[in-house]
């Protein structure tokens, strides 16, 4: 860059050639000591009078009528003005409001190389007028009529050597997503827009993490172990069920809150920058804008794609693992099984040898049962069929002993056989479901002894809680990483994209205001002639693409179909036994199933929580589906009248910002509550069935105190038909809600004929960056090369409330032009063509 330098006396200047150097930039503009050439009117002074050259006179210094001249007037020794840096800085000339404020109009020259008298000369000032101004400022003026004269000067790019001023590099800065004209600094910029949303969701995840760490510390300090499990509560089963319900409600609220926050940050990270959009459009690729998108991964930076994937996977895993932390254990007695004759009830003698009493029941226990059988009402009388149903499950919580009365007549021993405690009666059934005793006789009926009140415990797995805390920590760190990159400015919302495309239109979609996504997918990025608008009513279900609909339906069926099948089969099976509907989260003998491979309790808890994975995927898919609905709805409203742009950061002018991205808060909160309810119901519909058996009644009767259970004897998978029915109802209601919103018709825009039909801004087929860019042209744009930003009356239109419509009516064979405008726009005519 060539810079003018003067000697000490200011007589003869020399042009010193220095290597090209870019102007000093601060937040996208030149330094604060720059002046704008366009702020200096050419040919007129500040009062608007034509400049008159004053001749220099050689009068003495005492002459008051003397006319002064500038230093470069009347000098033939040098044609180069002095460029000595001005040192006239006083507190009166310092303006603190503009000291730290960057210039958004960057066509400026460094003030250090231009002396004040050159500036005053270019303004049309003379030494006399400056002296007069100084006197007026000191003493004031009288009888002066002031006429306001407001004028707007637009800056133009100035070339410094081989570089352009930032006025010409504004487009490049916008491609880098730096907006110097609307940049915010300080705390406000970091607590509004998408950054505020990320902070809010990170804070929620951190609070959940903090609570998990506290629970983990308590588990370690109380039980002094991390790999095992500890009982939070032991006692009445009803109280344990209430505790289990409350904890799972809190877990699923926290889990869905983490999912919601992860989805928010994922949408921000997967949103492209303007440079990424421009590169994609150059290569004839389109991107998703305004919705969470996996499709954008191949077009955005690898770092953001990796962080987004980590957030998504860790949030899904957290939802699964947290639901496996808490489970309930039932403490039951193993029941004794005795085959006896009718004479046993009349205190007939019995043989207690090893062949008859293989389980080793004590004589006193057998006699106690014999005495109870002879007493009316001491034992419960069951039919053979009911007895088979009651004692064929995995465990029996209601009875601790059963006498099976056979039709055998024996004179030697009334006791036929004592089977192993807890033996299922299904092992003694014949082909017609009759119970057959070991001696071949048939069982006529049963007498069962009710067991003492059952106890339950609510347990917490320390190892699973530790894994959940680590996953939660990974989610929080991944969310916070995005806040460190202060230079990241994605096109998150629709308003971000419109602002960027209005400020610097996209050359790849020029003169295609009626471009649709179907045209883009067919490869038609440009048309040889103008297009006609065909007014057709648009319904919201037409907005998502067919692949998105297929993904939503498949994910919904992946949960709804197994739920309906399990409900039908289990209800049919349980209807023959007892009540068809079982309580939430309560293991019952006939709806508890052992897996072919034995698992530890923690492993079974994780297996039972795996369906939460499908529910988390359904949340992401449903959120994206509904976001597509409201993205098209927000875009279509610009065809109805002026609206301010809703941007995600750096709002300026009439622009507005919000913490939500595309999906409105009421819909987002409703979705969160709905999936929290479904997560809780699913945790109570499929859960680990853990049963710990006390020793048989014979051991209990010989001990003064009950022997506590040492380890789980049954680790199985359990189901609740009530919870399955509630889950299916919530899934059906969700489907009805999606389809109900899809049946909503887009607000029609008024046509030139006055008819309200169709809307040219609906996004049929879903989000598409090329379609949005094509709608933001309202002036001629060359197919390649730089573009000139459009200046609407009153300034930059993207700073004002804008509407979309006809901005230039066609005449004759010349087509009309559609686009955004801050002024009035015309209605689209179905009979005319537009570009």
């Amino acid at each position: 860059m060539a810079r003018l330098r003067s000697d000490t006396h200011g007589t003869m200047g020399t042009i010193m050639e220095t290597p090209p150097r870019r102007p000093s930039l601060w937040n996208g503009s030149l330094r604060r000591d720059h002046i704008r050439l366009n702020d200096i009117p050419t040919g007129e002074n500040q009062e608007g009078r034509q400049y008159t050259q004053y001749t220099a006179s050689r009068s003495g210094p005492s002459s008051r009528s003397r006319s002064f001249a500038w230093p470069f007037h009347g000098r033939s020794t040098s044609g180069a003005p002095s460029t000595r840096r001005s040192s006239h800085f006083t507190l009166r000339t310092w303006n603190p409001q503009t000291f730290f404020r960057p210039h958004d109009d960057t066509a400026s020259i460094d003030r250090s190389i231009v002396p004040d008298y050159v500036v005053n000369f270019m303004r049309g000032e003379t030494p006399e007028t400056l002296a007069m101004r100084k006197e007026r400022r000191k003493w004031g003026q009288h009888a002066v009529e002031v006429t306001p004269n407001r004028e707007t000067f637009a800056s133009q790019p100035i070339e410094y050597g081989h570089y352009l001023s930032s006025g010409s590099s504004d487009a490049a800065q916008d491609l880098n997503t730096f907006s110097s004209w609307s940049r915010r600094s300080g705390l406000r910029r970091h607590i509004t827009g998408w950054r505020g949303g990320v902070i809010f969701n990170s804070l929620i995840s951190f609070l959940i993490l903090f609570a998990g760490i506290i629970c983990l510390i308590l588990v370690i300090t109380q039980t002094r172990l991390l790999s095992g499990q500890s009982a939070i509560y032991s006692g009445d089963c009803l109280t344990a069920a209430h505790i289990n319900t409350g904890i799972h409600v809190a877990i699923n609220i926290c889990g869905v809150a983490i999912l919601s926050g992860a989805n928010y940050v994922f949408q921000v990270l997967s949103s492209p920058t303007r440079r990424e959009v421009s590169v994609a459009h150059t290569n004839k690729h389109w991107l998703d804008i305004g919705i969470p998108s996996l499709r954008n991964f191949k077009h955005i930076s690898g770092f953001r794609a990796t962080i987004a994937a980590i957030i998504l996977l860790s949030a899904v895993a957290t939802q699964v693992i947290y639901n496996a932390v808490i489970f309930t254990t039932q403490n039951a007695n193993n029941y004794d099984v005795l085959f006896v004759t009718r004479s046993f009830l009349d205190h007939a003698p019995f043989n207690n040898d090893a062949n008859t009493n293989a389980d080793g029941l004590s004589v006193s226990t057998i006699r106690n049962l014999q005495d109870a059988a002879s007493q009316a009402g001491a034992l419960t009388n069951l039919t053979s069929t009911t007895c088979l149903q009651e004692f064929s499950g995995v465990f029996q919580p209601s009875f601790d002993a059963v006498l099976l009365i056979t039709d055998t007549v024996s004179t030697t021993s009334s006791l036929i056989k004592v089977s192993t405690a807890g033996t299922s009666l299904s092992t003694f059934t014949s082909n017609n479901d009759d119970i057959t005793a070991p001696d071949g006789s048939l069982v006529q009926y049963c007498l069962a002894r009710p067991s003492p009140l059952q106890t339950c415990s609510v347990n917490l797995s320390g190892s699973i809680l530790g894994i959940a805390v680590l996953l939660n920590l990974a989610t929080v760190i991944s969310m916070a990483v995005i806040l460190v990159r202060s230079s990241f400015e994605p096109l998150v919302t629709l308003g971000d994209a419109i602002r960027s495309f209005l400020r610097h239109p996209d050359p790849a979609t020029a003169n295609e205001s009626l471009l649709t996504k179907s045209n883009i997918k067919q490869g038609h990025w440009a048309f040889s002639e103008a297009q006609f608008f065909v007014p057709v009513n648009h319904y919201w279900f037409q907005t998502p693409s067919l692949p998105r609909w297929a993904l939503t339906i498949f994910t919904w069926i992946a949960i709804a179909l197994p739920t309906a099948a399990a409900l039908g089969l289990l209800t049919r099976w349980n209807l023959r036994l007892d009540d068809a509907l079982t309580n939430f989260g309560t293991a019952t003998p006939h709806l508890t199933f052992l897996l072919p491979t034995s698992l530890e309790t923690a492993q079974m808890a994780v297996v039972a929580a795996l369906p939460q994975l499908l529910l988390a995927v359904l949340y992401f898919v449903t959120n994206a589906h509904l976001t597509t609905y409201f993205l098209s709805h927000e875009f279509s409203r610009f065809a109805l009248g002026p609206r301010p742009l809703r941007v995600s950061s750096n709002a300026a002018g009439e622009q507005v910002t919000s913490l939500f991205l595309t999906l409105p808060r009421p819909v987002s909160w409703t979705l969160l509550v709905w999936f929290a309810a479904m997560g809780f119901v699913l945790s109570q519909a499929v859960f680990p069935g853990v049963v710990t058996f006390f020793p048989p009644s014979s051991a209990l009767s010989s001990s003064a105190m009950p022997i506590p259970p040492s380890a789980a004897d049954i680790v199985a998978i359990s189901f609740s038909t009530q919870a399955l029915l509630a889950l299916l109802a919530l899934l059906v209601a969700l489907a009805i809600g999606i389809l109900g919103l899809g049946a909503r018709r887009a607000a029609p825009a008024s046509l030139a004929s006055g008819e309200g039909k169709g809307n040219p801004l609906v996004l049929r087929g879903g989000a598409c960056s090329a379609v949005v860019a094509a709608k933001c042209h309202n002036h001629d744009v060359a197919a390649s090369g730089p573009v000139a930003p459009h200046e609407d009356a009153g300034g930059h239109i993207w700073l004002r409330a804008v509407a979309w419509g006809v901005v230039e009516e066609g005449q004759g064979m010349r087509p009309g032009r559609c686009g955004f405008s801050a002024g009035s726009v015309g209605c689209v005519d179905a009979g005319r063509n537009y570009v």
Side-chain angles (χ1 to χ4, degrees):
M1 180 174 101
R3 173 169 290 192
L4 297 176
R5 306 179 68 91
S6 65
D7 56 34
T8 310
H9 305 285
T11 58
M12 184 65 185
T14 342
I15 299 179
M16 304 294 295
E17 293 291 338
T18 59
R21 183 170 61 90
R22 294 184 181 273
S24 173
L25 296 180
W26 179 55
N27 282 348
S29 62
L30 297 177
R31 294 194 304 267
R32 61 177 176 83
D33 57 344
H34 293 178
I35 60 173
R36 305 183 180 93
L37 289 183
N38 291 285
D39 290 340
I40 306 174
T42 58
E44 293 187 21
N45 59 11
Q46 273 191 330
E47 287 77 24
R49 300 190 302 266
Q50 292 293 331
Y51 168 69
T52 304
Q53 183 175 1
Y54 290 80
T55 338
S57 65
R58 309 298 296 176
S59 305
S62 61
S63 176
R64 299 184 60 88
S65 60
R66 170 183 177 181
S67 296
F68 295 93
W70 296 116
F72 48 80
H73 283 163
R75 297 196 180 184
S76 58
T77 58
S78 175
S82 172
T83 58
R84 184 174 55 192
R85 177 177 290 272
S86 173
S87 60
H88 299 289
F89 175 82
T90 63
L91 292 176
R92 192 166 62 181
T93 60
W94 177 57
N95 187 359
Q97 296 180 350
T98 60
F99 187 82
F100 293 102
R101 184 179 62 197
H103 293 323
D104 50 10
D105 190 353
T106 53
S108 56
I109 298 177
D110 193 340
R111 194 167 196 155
S112 63
I113 67 173
V114 182
D116 291 341
Y117 60 81
V118 175
V119 176
N120 292 329
F121 170 76
M122 297 178 70
R123 288 176 175 170
E125 298 285 356
T126 67
E128 292 178 335
T129 59
L130 288 178
M132 293 173 60
R133 288 182 179 279
K134 186 175 181 180
E135 291 292 326
R136 290 171 185 171
R137 285 195 299 267
K138 183 176 181 180
W139 302 105
Q141 281 190 355
H142 302 280
V144 177
E145 181 179 354
V146 180
T147 304
N149 184 13
R150 302 178 64 89
E151 207 171 336
T152 302
F153 300 97
S155 62
Q156 302 296 331
I158 294 178
E159 186 172 357
Y160 297 90
H162 301 288
Y163 300 100
L164 292 177
S165 69
S166 60
S168 62
S169 62
D170 233 4
Q173 291 180 14
D174 188 62
L175 294 181
N176 283 320
T177 61
F178 286 98
S179 302
S180 61
W181 52 271
S182 63
R183 185 170 300 279
R184 296 289 185 267
S185 60
L187 182 63
R188 177 178 174 81
R189 178 174 179 264
H190 294 281
I191 62 175
T192 58
W194 67 263
R195 284 186 174 84
V198 171
I199 291 176
F200 176 78
N201 287 287
S202 300
L203 181 61
I204 295 296
S205 298
F206 177 77
L207 293 177
I208 297 173
L209 172 64
F210 184 71
I213 293 176
I214 291 178
C215 293
L216 185 61
I217 293 175
L218 291 176
V219 169
I220 296 175
T221 55
Q222 293 295 327
T223 63
R224 301 193 181 280
L225 55 89
L226 182 62
S227 59
Q229 63 188 45
S230 59
I232 299 175
Y233 168 82
S234 295
D236 180 59
C237 286
L238 183 61
T239 304
H242 290 163
I243 295 175
N244 177 69
T245 298
I247 294 177
H248 273 95
V249 167
I251 285 176
N252 283 278
I253 291 176
C254 295
V256 176
I258 293 176
L259 285 179
S260 177
N263 181 80
Y264 186 100
V265 180
F266 176 82
Q267 181 172 342
V268 172
L269 287 171
S270 63
S271 298
T273 63
R274 178 60 195 274
R275 178 174 294 277
E276 291 165 347
V277 171
S278 298
V279 171
H281 287 186
T282 303
N283 298 323
K284 303 302 180 184
H285 296 297
W286 57 273
L287 303 179
D288 287 325
I289 290 180
I291 64 174
S293 173
L294 288 172
R295 187 183 184 278
N296 289 352
F297 270 28
K298 59 183 179 181
H299 299 285
I300 64 177
S301 68
F303 174 78
R304 283 174 24 227
T306 302
I307 296 299
I310 291 175
I311 289 177
L312 210 62
L313 295 177
S314 60
V316 172
T318 302
Q319 171 74 4
V320 175
I321 297 300
Y322 264 128
N323 274 280
V325 171
I326 299 294
F327 55 90
T328 302
T329 299
Q330 296 187 29
N331 304 318
N333 294 111
N334 248 347
Y335 55 89
D336 297 317
V337 181
L338 294 84
F339 290 89
V340 298
T341 64
R342 289 180 180 270
S343 60
F344 183 83
L345 308 180
D346 299 328
H347 291 86
F350 55 86
N351 188 5
N352 193 29
D353 56 18
N355 293 329
T356 303
N357 190 4
D359 197 39
L361 278 181
S362 63
V363 175
S364 59
T365 301
I366 299 176
R367 291 194 182 279
N368 289 336
L369 286 173
Q370 192 176 40
D371 293 339
S374 62
Q375 299 175 5
L379 302 181
T380 302
N381 194 317
L382 304 174
T383 64
S384 175
T385 303
T386 305
C387 188
L388 179 63
Q389 295 172 355
E390 288 289 341
F391 293 92
S392 295
V394 176
F395 66 98
Q396 172 50 249
S398 302
F399 304 101
D400 61 3
V402 58
L403 299 175
L404 293 94
I405 314 302
T406 66
D407 55 2
T408 300
V409 177
S410 175
T411 58
T412 58
S413 175
S414 60
L415 179 63
I416 299 175
K417 185 71 174 178
V418 177
S419 298
T420 305
T423 302
S424 174
L425 296 187
S426 59
T427 59
F428 301 102
T429 56
S430 58
N431 295 332
N432 54 358
D433 289 341
D434 290 333
I435 304 175
T436 305
D439 63 349
S441 59
L442 296 178
V443 174
Q444 303 298 311
Y445 62 96
C446 299
L447 294 175
R449 183 175 64 186
S451 62
L453 185 64
Q454 187 184 14
T455 60
C456 299
S457 62
V458 180
N459 299 310
L460 182 146
S461 174
S463 58
I464 296 180
L465 179 59
I467 297 174
V469 168
L470 291 177
L471 289 171
N472 198 352
L473 178 62
T475 304
V476 172
I477 293 176
S478 301
M479 287 183 178
V481 163
I482 188 176
L483 297 173
V484 178
R485 304 188 64 184
S486 60
S487 61
F488 177 51
E489 293 291 344
L491 304 181
V492 181
T493 65
L494 185 64
D496 293 337
I498 296 175
R499 176 177 66 181
S500 179
F501 290 132
L502 283 178
R503 191 181 180 206
H504 299 288
D506 178 35
T509 57
N511 301 323
E512 303 293 343
S513 61
L514 297 182
L515 190 70
T516 62
K517 189 175 181 178
S518 60
N519 301 139
I520 296 297
K521 298 177 78 172
Q522 294 171 6
H524 300 156
W525 283 70
F527 297 99
S528 57
E529 56 185 15
Q531 300 296 304
F532 291 88
F533 171 64
V534 180
V536 179
N537 287 330
H538 177 84
Y539 293 90
W540 284 24
F541 73 86
Q542 296 173 301
T543 300
S545 61
L546 289 179
R548 185 170 297 279
W549 268 112
L551 178 63
T552 303
I553 294 173
F554 174 79
T555 310
W556 185 87
I557 290 178
I559 301 179
L561 185 61
T563 301
L567 179 62
L569 293 176
L570 295 177
T571 302
R572 182 181 177 184
W573 167 257
N574 206 42
L575 189 61
R576 300 183 305 161
L577 307 176
D578 198 356
D579 189 9
L581 299 178
T582 57
N583 295 330
F584 276 51
T586 302
T588 56
H590 298 287
L591 298 185
T592 300
F593 304 93
L594 295 171
L595 297 183
T597 304
S598 60
L599 299 176
E600 297 293 334
T601 305
Q603 296 172 338
M604 183 61 71
V606 173
V607 170
L610 284 180
Q612 297 284 345
L613 175 65
L614 294 176
L615 195 65
V617 173
L618 180 61
Y619 172 81
F620 290 126
V621 172
T622 304
N623 188 288
H625 195 100
L626 296 180
T627 301
T628 306
Y629 277 170
F630 285 93
L631 180 72
S632 177
H633 173 65
E634 182 178 2
F635 199 33
S636 65
R637 297 178 70 182
F638 285 102
L640 307 180
R643 296 183 58 82
L645 296 180
R646 188 180 59 84
V647 297
S648 64
S649 62
N650 299 329
E654 298 182 24
Q655 297 170 356
V656 296
T657 186
S658 60
L659 293 180
F660 76 92
L661 301 180
T662 301
L663 200 63
R665 289 180 184 175
V667 180
S668 179
W669 291 342
T670 302
L671 200 64
L672 191 147
V673 172
W674 204 262
F675 272 86
M678 285 198 293
F680 163 71
V681 171
L682 180 57
S683 69
Q684 303 301 293
V686 184
F687 52 93
V690 182
V691 180
T692 300
F693 291 116
F694 283 108
S697 58
S698 56
L700 290 176
S701 61
S702 61
S703 176
M705 296 294 295
I707 303 175
S710 56
D713 297 303
I714 293 179
V715 180
I717 193 84
S718 297
F719 298 89
S720 169
T721 51
Q722 276 188 3
L724 287 173
L725 180 61
L727 177 62
L728 186 61
L730 290 173
L731 287 170
V732 172
L734 177 67
I736 293 175
I738 295 175
L739 295 176
L741 281 175
R744 184 177 176 182
R745 190 181 72 169
S750 298
L751 302 177
S753 61
E755 180 186 5
K757 185 178 182 181
N759 193 307
L761 290 187
V762 292
L763 297 175
R764 188 184 295 266
C768 179
S769 59
V771 173
V772 176
K775 305 294 183 184
C776 297
H777 293 283
N778 52 1
H779 53 284
D780 291 326
V781 180
S784 61
V787 296
H790 175 72
E791 287 287 343
D792 194 88
H796 304 297
I797 66 172
W798 57 84
L799 299 178
R800 303 169 58 190
V802 294
W804 192 92
V806 178
V807 296
E808 182 182 346
E809 294 288 350
Q811 295 180 358
M813 299 299 294
R814 183 169 62 86
R817 185 172 299 280
C818 296
F820 283 94
S821 175
S824 59
V825 294
C827 298
V828 180
D829 193 349
R832 296 197 62 87
N833 54 355
Y834 298 94
V835 294

